[in-house]
Amino acid sequence: GAGVSQSPSNKVTEKGKDVELRCDPISGHTALYWYRQRLGQGLEFLIYFQGNSAPDKSGLPSDRFSAERTGESVSTLTIQRTQQEDSAVYLCASSLGRRYTEAFFGQGTRLTVV
Amino acid sequence: AQSVAQPEDQVNVAEGNPLTVKCTYSVSGNPYLFWYVQYPNRGLQFLLKYITGDNLVKGSYGFEAEFNKSQTSFHLKKPSALVSDSALYFCAFKAAGNKLTFGGGTRVLVKP
């Protein structure tokens, strides 16, 4: 596709349920990033992939959070047993994978846990 | 820990006046530095980057930034601000690898 696509754009879930967020990167982009942005706040790094491996997953807040990437393409971020503090916008970005290349962002998934 | 800092939560400027958004870095080696902008209800957009070479880099929408190694700064500037520049601005860096880490953001409000 032309840009980074995230789905769903909005998700309302009940506390304790599991959710899956999807990211389709720009074709050919080998690096893929996940961030969390709480309302009016900065970007909190969660994890990034180089190809299908994750060199740095240090930002995942707890073992309820996991992410995977297959085929150097689509990535899914899974949050198990959601809590109200998980409510935020989850942003995905991709880049060509070189250190000097900039990342391009999707529109995000707004997650609300009620 | 390596980081970038944006010391101002908010910058207010009158339309037509110069705009500066500050960023300082604490990164070992040769950092790669980036600026992004987030307009209301829109995704983040890349503005410009410093990799190497000329310390003054030019980017989108008339923005530029100056890399200053002695002051460990990478301030974003625009000579004449527009109301439409009102947005949230983020400085970011890559250290040795490909991990992209952001500062806390600065909200810019340009008043007519």
Side-chain angles (χ1 to χ4, degrees):
Chain A
V4 178
S5 178
Q6 293 187 245
S7 60
S9 54
N10 280 284
K11 176 73 175 178
V12 181
T13 190
E14 292 181 352
K15 179 180 172 181
K17 300 282 190 183
D18 297 352
V19 294
E20 276 193 359
L21 311 181
R22 177 186 169 105
C23 175
D24 280 274
I26 294 171
S27 178
H29 280 196
T30 58
L32 186 147
Y33 305 83
W34 282 101
Y35 296 89
R36 180 169 70 180
Q37 185 176 30
R38 292 199 167 99
L39 187 63
Q41 303 296 310
L43 272 74
E44 179 184 2
F45 170 83
L46 298 178
I47 186 171
Y48 94 93
F49 291 89
Q50 192 73 41
N52 292 337
S53 63
D56 193 324
K57 53 180 78 172
S58 61
L60 295 177
S62 72
D63 59 7
R64 297 187 296 106
F65 287 73
S66 63
E68 65 175 20
R69 188 181 186 194
T70 55
E72 292 197 350
S73 181
V74 173
S75 176
T76 55
L77 176 68
T78 301
I79 308 174
Q80 295 179 310
R81 306 180 302 282
T82 52
Q83 304 295 314
Q84 287 187 331
E85 62 261 29
D86 298 335
S87 296
V89 175
Y90 290 82
L91 292 166
C92 176
S94 70
S95 78
L96 284 170
R98 303 294 186 188
R99 188 175 161 223
Y100 55 81
T101 56
E102 60 271 24
F104 295 86
F105 280 79
Q107 294 297 307
T109 293
R110 183 177 300 278
L111 176 67
T112 304
V113 182
V114 298
Chain B
Q2 303 190 95
S3 64
V4 289
Q6 296 181 242
E8 300 159 317
D9 290 337
Q10 181 158 326
V11 170
N12 298 316
V13 63
E15 188 174 31
N17 281 2
L19 170 63
T20 298
V21 187
K22 295 179 181 177
C23 173
T24 58
Y25 65 89
S26 177
V27 181
S28 58
N30 296 316
Y32 289 1
L33 299 164
F34 303 80
W35 275 103
Y36 283 81
V37 60
Q38 187 176 36
Y39 297 105
N41 300 316
R42 290 166 60 178
L44 269 81
Q45 297 178 30
F46 167 75
L47 281 177
L48 51 78
K49 64 184 176 184
Y50 173 80
I51 304 303
T52 187
D54 194 348
N55 289 342
L56 184 65
V57 293
K58 294 185 182 297
S60 307
Y61 312 121
F63 284 94
E64 59 188 28
E66 185 168 11
F67 174 72
N68 188 318
K69 190 169 185 177
S70 62
Q71 297 186 4
T72 62
S73 68
F74 188 55
H75 300 331
L76 182 70
K77 299 182 180 183
K78 186 171 184 180
S80 178
L82 301 172
V83 172
S84 57
D85 293 328
S86 298
L88 194 53
Y89 290 80
F90 292 98
C91 181
F93 75 96
K94 292 183 183 180
N98 206 17
K99 177 181 177 180
L100 182 64
T101 305
F102 285 81
T106 299
R107 189 168 301 280
V108 170
L109 180 60
V110 182
K111 298 182 178 178

